[in-house]
Each structure stands twice: as structure tokens, then as C-alpha cells.
Amino acid sequence: MRIIIILILIYKRSTNLGSSSYQEKGRKMAKREIISIIGGSMAGLFAAISLRAQGFIVNLYERSSSSLESRGAGIATHGELKNIAKFIGKEFAGESGIISTERQLLNLSGAATHKREIKQTMSSWGLIYRFLRKFIREEEYHPNHKFLDVQKKNSKTLVIRFENGKELETNWLIGADGMNSTVRGCVDPISKPTYANYLAWRGLVKESDIEPEVLDALSNKMTFGIAPKGHWLGYLVAGPKDSLSVGNRYYNWIWYRGESQTSLIRHLIGSDKKYYPNGIPHDLIKPAIIGKMHDDARASLAPQLNHLIQKTPNPFLQGIYDFKSSRMTFGRVVLIGDAAFTARPHVGLGVYK
């Protein structure tokens, strides 16, 4: 909702829509306004689609040279997802995920001690990313553009520079480049993320790799497990090529674990002996770190949940942080999504927020 409000403010400020007599003038002005968006993930895609629909010229700049579609994991959706799709004028052609009918809590022996009927659509990062990405024109999307800085040229123009040497002028700049935003570093360098003293292990398991009795106990349910210093949860999501058919899906799981700052640093030092403070590539997590997590799973989680962890070939690891910027607008520079503030995953980090 805050993203929507900020985008509406941009539109009103640039077009001066104080009354209906200004609307046509506003639309003509909007067509001449250029908005540059830093960050090609969810917030950036949403902003580009919705602002282009208002008549702005949009260009989206992503630091990565490769596609982002394989990133992320499961997303528990709410009605707001469909509302946002309607807001940007793009409807889901089919189902946006897999229907979960209830929630259950498993004890250490694997028995369900608590159950509650709750119907919810469980989607995936990749499915929603691809849904949005297909509405971005190729000439609007610019990969391999790592943002360096922004300078004010005049009252209506900014100059932005990239690490690849490119320099360009724009009327507006939107920072949608995540919690460690380089755009925010230019306009609000004082605001810094704070480690929340726990991290999350994440994994995706092919449905076909799960033992039938485990799958039967967990299918179409959001399942929870309690463990020392944290909890585990999981649910089915779309599989390769966004398949929702039985047998071709993934099981998405997350295990939140309390860890000190010192322990987090130890987790983020890769097998190449480099430290990755902004997130370690999953293929560089030390085998000993993964092995310790596996041992803890055997000792403190239900057999079904442990089975899924052991079946995950390449788990992901992320630290959990709290963050809010001092404000979201800085003249003609605007921060949205995780670049502006974060919410912990339990209430919608990133995509859902």
C-alpha cells in the first residue's frame, strides 16, 4: 500500500492534477517525464508497469547480468496480491499458486498436535516474478547496470551513473534495489539495517523426491514445527515452469533459528574463505555449516520435516534484519520496497509487502 501511495504522489506532483481541467495537460506532461528504476525485482517491476500505464517513460536498471527468475522461494499470498494485479491492469491467466486448506503443528515424534482449517493460496517467488516480468518490454529492461550515484542537474532533471560507465539523465529516480540499496546509500546514508539475532534456512524439494507417506501427511497444508530458538514451516508451491500439477511441484520450507551476530558472520564466510555480508551464494555455504544444520534437524524436528531438509541438495541461508529509512522521498528520488523499510518474513518481507 505504501508503494501505491508513493507512486500516486509522484504522478500528482508531476502532473499538478489539482482539478479535472488539468488532467489532459497532466497526461501530456507525464509522457515527457522519464522515470529510471534501480532494481529489477518485484518492487521495480511493479513500479515500472504501473507508472508506464500512467503515461511515463520508464527504464528499469538491474545490476545482475542474468535472469532473476530462479531466485526466491515460497510466498503465502493474500487477497492483496490479486488487488495489486488489478491495480496495474494485469490479471493472472490461471491459478497463482496451490491451495492450502489447513495449518498443522507437528511435535517431535511427527504427530499433529494442533490443526486449524485455513484456506490460502501458496505461490512462489518465481511464478509471480515471471508474471510481472512478461509485461516489461525488452527496451525498458537493462541488465548489467550497477548503480553508482545520482546528482541533481536542475529542478526537473537528475544525472545517474553506473559502474559500466554509462551516464544518463532522468526526471525521477526510484530506488527499488533491496535492503542494501545503493540508491539509499546516496540519499540516506545514515539509515542502516540491524541484525534481528536470527537467520533463516530455506529449501526447495522436488515433490517426486519426497517419500509418499511424508507427502501424504504434508500435502495441501501449511505445516509448522517448533525447535529450540526458532521454528520451521513449509508448504507446496509451483514446480519447474510454474507447474501446479501433482508430482511436478516443489515443497518449500523455512527454518528460523536464533543465532548471534558472531555466529551469523561465521555462517556467511564461504568455502572460498570470503565473507558475504549481503548474502552468501548457496553453493558457497561451507559443508560443515550445512552438516551442523542437518544434525540439529535430526535432533529437534519431526521426522517428516527432517526428511525434507535431508532431501534438499542446496539450501539457502539469509540473515534477518530490521530496517526503516528516515523517509521515502528525497526530492525527485524515491525509495520503495525493501530499500525503504523491511518487515520480518512472518509479516511479509520483500515480495508480499
Side-chain angles (χ1 to χ4, degrees):
M1 184 58 69
R2 294 188 188 184
I3 294 175
I4 295 172
I5 292 171
I6 290 296
L7 299 181
I8 291 172
L9 289 174
I10 293 175
Y11 182 53
K12 286 185 175 181
R13 178 171 173 179
S14 65
T15 58
N16 192 26
L17 294 182
S19 66
S20 59
S21 63
Y22 287 100
Q23 290 185 8
E24 185 59 33
K25 179 182 177 182
R27 278 191 286 269
K28 291 179 180 179
M29 288 179 66
K31 291 178 182 178
R32 294 197 299 269
E33 293 273 294
I34 300 172
I35 300 183
S36 298
I37 302 168
I38 307 300
S41 189
M42 298 295 187
L45 295 175
F46 166 68
I49 295 167
S50 55
L51 288 169
R52 186 219 298 145
Q54 298 294 334
F56 292 96
I57 298 170
V58 297
N59 283 288
L60 198 155
Y61 299 93
E62 166 56 41
R63 65 185 298 168
S64 176
S65 59
S66 57
S67 173
L68 305 182
E69 61 184 300
S70 62
R71 299 184 182 184
I75 302 169
T77 70
H78 298 263
E80 285 84 354
L81 177 61
K82 290 187 177 179
N83 293 340
I84 288 173
K86 291 178 181 178
F87 176 82
I88 63 174
K90 310 297 180 184
E91 298 280 357
F92 284 96
E95 290 295 325
S96 58
I98 297 168
I99 302 297
S100 172
T101 58
E102 73 174 20
R103 299 186 183 186
Q104 64 177 355
L105 174 66
L106 303 186
N107 64 15
L108 188 57
S109 67
T113 59
H114 297 77
K115 290 187 177 183
R116 184 174 180 181
E117 291 186 8
I118 297 178
K119 188 176 180 181
Q120 191 169 19
T121 300
M122 319 309 287
S123 192
S124 66
W125 195 95
L127 188 153
I128 297 176
Y129 171 84
R130 282 183 285 272
F131 164 72
L132 292 172
R133 179 66 180 86
K134 69 182 179 181
F135 298 115
I136 301 296
R137 302 162 185 160
E138 289 307 309
E139 64 269 23
E140 295 173 333
Y141 189 89
H142 309 277
N144 197 29
H145 279 69
K146 184 178 180 180
F147 173 84
L148 279 182
D149 59 38
V150 57
Q151 300 292 331
K152 181 179 178 180
K153 181 176 181 179
N154 55 47
S155 62
K156 293 185 178 181
T157 307
L158 304 171
V159 177
I160 55 179
R161 295 191 307 128
F162 297 91
E163 196 173 78
N164 61 11
K166 188 171 183 178
E167 184 176 299
L168 56 87
E169 294 184 0
T170 188
N171 299 116
W172 296 88
L173 177 64
I174 294 180
D177 50 341
M179 184 176 63
N180 296 300
S181 170
T182 50
V183 176
R184 189 184 69 243
C186 290
V187 296
D188 188 23
I190 296 176
S191 298
K192 302 287 185 182
T194 303
Y195 179 52
N197 291 313
Y198 69 107
L199 52 78
W201 285 96
R202 296 177 177 268
L204 285 174
V205 186
K206 290 182 180 179
E207 185 177 14
S208 57
D209 289 342
I210 302 173
E211 294 295 332
E213 62 271 20
V214 173
L215 190 60
D216 183 62
L218 304 181
S219 288
N220 302 108
K221 303 177 181 71
M222 179 184 281
T223 300
F224 294 84
I226 302 298
K229 297 191 300 180
H231 71 280
W232 187 102
L233 67 93
Y235 46 85
L236 283 167
V237 297
K241 298 181 180 180
D242 299 331
S243 174
L244 299 175
S245 61
V246 175
N248 295 316
R249 302 171 294 185
Y250 285 123
Y251 194 93
N252 169 76
W253 61 266
I254 311 161
W255 189 7
Y256 298 109
R257 307 193 65 191
E259 298 285 354
S260 67
Q261 180 80 49
T262 300
S263 179
L264 174 68
I265 293 172
R266 191 163 58 245
H267 279 71
L268 298 180
I269 296 175
S271 55
D272 58 357
K273 299 183 180 180
K274 293 181 181 179
Y275 174 49
Y276 294 88
N278 297 327
I280 185 169
H282 67 86
D283 57 334
L284 291 178
I285 301 173
K286 290 180 180 179
I289 294 288
I290 297 176
K292 175 63 166 57
M293 184 268 289
H294 282 177
D295 290 343
D296 291 344
R298 294 186 188 96
S300 58
L301 291 173
Q304 302 96 319
L305 314 186
N306 174 57
H307 172 76
L308 292 166
I309 289 177
Q310 308 301 331
K311 284 285 186 178
T312 306
N314 296 297
F316 292 84
L317 172 67
Q318 68 176 112
I320 306 300
Y321 293 83
D322 293 321
F323 170 75
K324 65 176 180 179
S325 185
S326 61
R327 62 184 196 272
M328 296 176 71
T329 59
F330 302 82
R332 285 182 168 259
V333 179
V334 179
L335 302 177
I336 64 174
D338 288 336
F341 55 93
T342 66
R344 296 186 186 183
H346 329 290
V347 291
L349 172 69
V351 179
Y352 173 59
K353 174 175 64 58

